[in-house]
Amino acid sequence: MRASAVIVAAGSGLRLGMGQPKAFVTLGGQPMLFYSLRSAAAARSVVEIVVALPEGMAPAARSLAELAGVKIPLKLVPGGPRRQDSVRHALALVSAESELVAIHDAARPLASAALFDACIATAERSGAAIAAIPSADTLKRVVDGQLVATVERAELFQAQTPQAFRRELILRAHRAAYADNWTATDDAQLCERLGATVQVVPGARDNFKITTAEDLKMAEALLGALAG
Ligand code: CTP
Ligand code: MG
């Protein structure tokens, strides 16, 4: 089983508000991208990494990859205006020898190598698999500040990355979305649109997406605890 990991790191991190691209904001003494590179490289089924980057960050990414112990081929590509464009640019560089592709947000630095492998293994069997966790809170539908319904929680999950796919499926899904000028918030949605079945792999609470300054603090604390 051969998989390529796509890491999207080309966002500007406006909500984090650190005045620099989020993937390069320091977390536990390293730029955030370091952690995804390390996990992807440590995943047994990953044979290549493709990273979508902000303009001018390729040299920084190369040295980070070295630091993270990336010994497999590393390809770098400029991102696009939307996350979906960044994924599409990266997919264009994925080796035709990779049967599978695992797509991951650099903004989720605490994803484990095992989670990459789990998504990839499930996608090999089913075509597509995403990490997700059950929703812990009771969810309410609210309109204009007023509760209109309680949503049945049992079936609700929060999607994470990695999201892994057969290469042929995810290429087709991105091509179709591009042709139809259709935007989705994650890659699984592009495949759902084609009628593909997407399996869910148990994600991790630690694998949250760093969006705001509070998230960054929480990740700092978790990394500190892990380091003992
Ligand atoms: N991303 C990307 N290209 C874009 C937008 C986002 O590669 N044009 C990546 C980000 O780098 C991040 C992931 O997609 O790893 C999830 O996006 P998000 O959390 O929204 O990050 P940003 O877009 O950087 O943050 P913000 O929306 O606050 O500006
Ligand atoms: Mg964004």
Side-chain angles (χ1 to χ4, degrees):
M1 178 170 60
R2 294 169 56 91
S4 295
V6 160
I7 300 175
V8 282
S12 46
L14 284 182
R15 288 169 291 176
L16 190 56
M18 304 280 280
Q20 60 171 321
K22 186 159 63 183
F24 292 88
V25 165
T26 306
L27 168 67
Q30 295 293 351
M32 200 180 297
L33 175 60
F34 168 85
Y35 300 95
S36 298
L37 287 169
R38 190 174 63 177
S39 294
R44 288 168 48 187
S45 43
V46 173
V47 298
E48 157 185 91
I49 301 177
V50 186
V51 189
L53 290 166
E55 214 54 60
M57 298 312 277
R62 286 230 172 258
S63 27
L64 267 186
E66 202 172 311
L67 206 63
V70 176
K71 306 260 194 290
I72 52 180
L74 175 73
K75 297 172 178 171
L76 307 176
V77 67
R82 301 168 303 167
R83 179 188 181 282
Q84 192 171 316
D85 301 310
S86 297
V87 174
R88 184 166 43 84
H89 293 180
L91 285 174
L93 291 196
V94 164
S95 162
E97 286 170 28
S98 287
E99 185 197 342
L100 296 147
V101 183
I103 301 170
H104 183 60
D105 292 333
R108 295 183 189 271
L110 300 179
S112 65
L115 190 55
F116 272 88
D117 279 325
C119 291
I120 291 163
T122 305
E124 187 186 31
R125 289 195 299 276
S126 65
I130 70 167
I133 55 170
S135 180
D137 298 321
T138 298
L139 296 168
K140 306 291 190 190
R141 198 177 300 284
V142 175
V143 177
D144 294 334
Q146 197 175 328
L147 196 160
V148 291
T150 297
V151 186
E152 184 48 61
R153 194 181 66 193
E155 292 185 348
L156 294 178
F157 281 68
Q158 293 170 237
Q160 302 184 333
T161 68
Q163 300 194 342
F165 309 91
R166 289 198 190 121
R167 186 176 54 87
E168 159 280 315
L169 170 64
I170 194 63
L171 285 177
R172 193 153 49 84
H174 269 271
R175 268 191 217 118
Y178 185 71
D180 302 342
N181 202 14
W182 199 77
T183 304
T185 49
D186 71 356
D187 299 285
Q189 210 184 340
L190 301 181
C191 296
E192 290 165 56
R193 184 166 173 262
L194 298 187
T197 305
V198 181
Q199 292 288 327
V200 168
V201 164
R205 296 233 158 251
D206 286 3
N207 184 28
F208 59 87
K209 184 160 73 79
I210 295 182
T211 304
T212 63
E214 289 74 42
D215 300 331
L216 189 63
K217 259 194 228 157
M218 201 135 61
E220 287 277 2
L222 279 168
L223 277 173
L226 288 175

